[in-house]
Amino acid sequence: MTPKTSAGSESLKQITHLAAALKAPRITEAAARLADHARDTGWTHEDYLAAVLEREVAARNASGARLRIRAAGFGAVKTLDDFDFDHQPGARTPIQALVSGAYLVEHRNVVLLGPPGTGKTHLATALGVAAARQGHRVLFATATDWVTRLSEAHDRGRLAAELTRLRRYGLIIVDEVGYLPFEQDAANLFFQLVSSRYEHASLILTSNLPFSSWAGVFGDQVVAAAMIDRIVHHADVIALKGASYRLRDRGVETLPSIKAEQESLD
């Protein structure tokens, strides 16, 4: 063993010890892997250190993204790469404009409206996954599940604390608004969720109904109007059109009520 090799071995042992103390074990692997390349190509000490730390940060970000995606509660992880924009060509430009995540920094909302099967949940999930990869905390649930969660917090006398905690999430996704009508108490709880995030943090909502039909969902025209006002004040509203993507190969051109819903969206 040459002195150079021996010195390098001792240095890597020290790096291993220090990396463990820093709880950054991947630094050891990166340092060993890059050492010979750094010597052969004449890197400066600064170049070598930057390269090792860059790989540690990238690995941490990837690991953090996986944890945030897992914690978000998506029914299934979907991305924009998986989405068939040929089925929804009008959505391509507005959705791609949201991928950067600028709307999250501005505390803007996104509303996806359209008949069943047109890709609302897929797009909402994909935007949520993109947000998680950018470092934002995300939570996903159906409108009914959100109301159940808030109702349980209310029953424990913890509603205000729960709304405050949820506001720490950069993005909350509310799927399937309008699939089931809400009782008055449920509608009030949902309004409080929307109101608590107004100009503080972002929402993505999906609905099979146009805004004009939301009064029937929430059972109160005044509550629905106040809620819609807060949602759309700072929002991108994207209308998805057409027949169900899921039925495209089943010989079924449309579902009951889709024509009426589409005319309302138009």
Side-chain angles (χ1 to χ4, degrees), residues 25-205:
R26 289 175 294 254
I27 284 180
T28 301
E29 188 274 333
R33 180 161 45 84
L34 293 173
D36 289 338
H37 179 71
R39 281 189 290 266
D40 293 342
T41 56
W43 283 6
T44 65
H45 298 309
E46 292 84 358
D47 290 337
Y48 176 58
L49 178 60
V52 171
L53 294 179
E54 181 182 35
R55 282 156 178 77
E56 170 64 19
V57 170
R60 285 193 179 195
N61 287 342
S63 177
R66 286 193 294 271
L67 290 174
R68 287 189 294 274
I69 290 170
R70 191 178 306 126
F74 299 117
V77 175
K78 297 179 182 293
T79 69
L80 292 179
D81 291 337
D82 304 326
F83 190 77
D84 183 5
F85 278 104
D86 291 338
H87 193 71
Q88 291 292 341
R92 186 189 301 272
T93 297
I95 290 295
Q96 289 180 342
L98 295 169
V99 174
S100 69
Y103 72 99
L104 295 166
V105 177
E106 299 167 356
H107 309 314
R108 294 177 58 82
N109 301 321
V110 178
V111 184
L112 300 165
L113 302 176
T118 49
K120 301 183 298 298
T121 299
H122 187 141
L123 290 174
T125 300
L127 289 174
V129 169
R133 288 174 175 168
Q134 291 161 2
H136 299 279
R137 298 173 72 196
V138 181
L139 281 177
F140 175 101
T142 65
T144 301
D145 287 340
W146 277 117
V147 167
T148 299
R149 179 176 186 154
L150 295 174
S151 180
E152 291 172 352
H154 180 267
D155 292 343
R156 298 194 307 269
R158 298 283 300 167
L159 179 61
E162 178 69 0
L163 292 173
T164 298
R165 190 184 73 82
L166 290 175
R167 203 157 57 226
R168 299 190 188 111
Y169 285 79
L171 176 62
I172 280 180
I173 300 174
V174 183
D175 197 27
E176 299 182 352
V177 176
Y179 280 77
L180 293 173
F182 289 156
E183 298 292 337
Q184 187 64 55
D185 288 346
N188 289 334
L189 288 171
F190 193 79
F191 173 77
Q192 290 188 63
L193 174 64
V194 170
S195 183
S196 72
R197 297 183 66 79
Y198 176 61
E199 297 187 333
H200 289 286
S202 296
L203 286 165
I204 293 180
L205 301 98

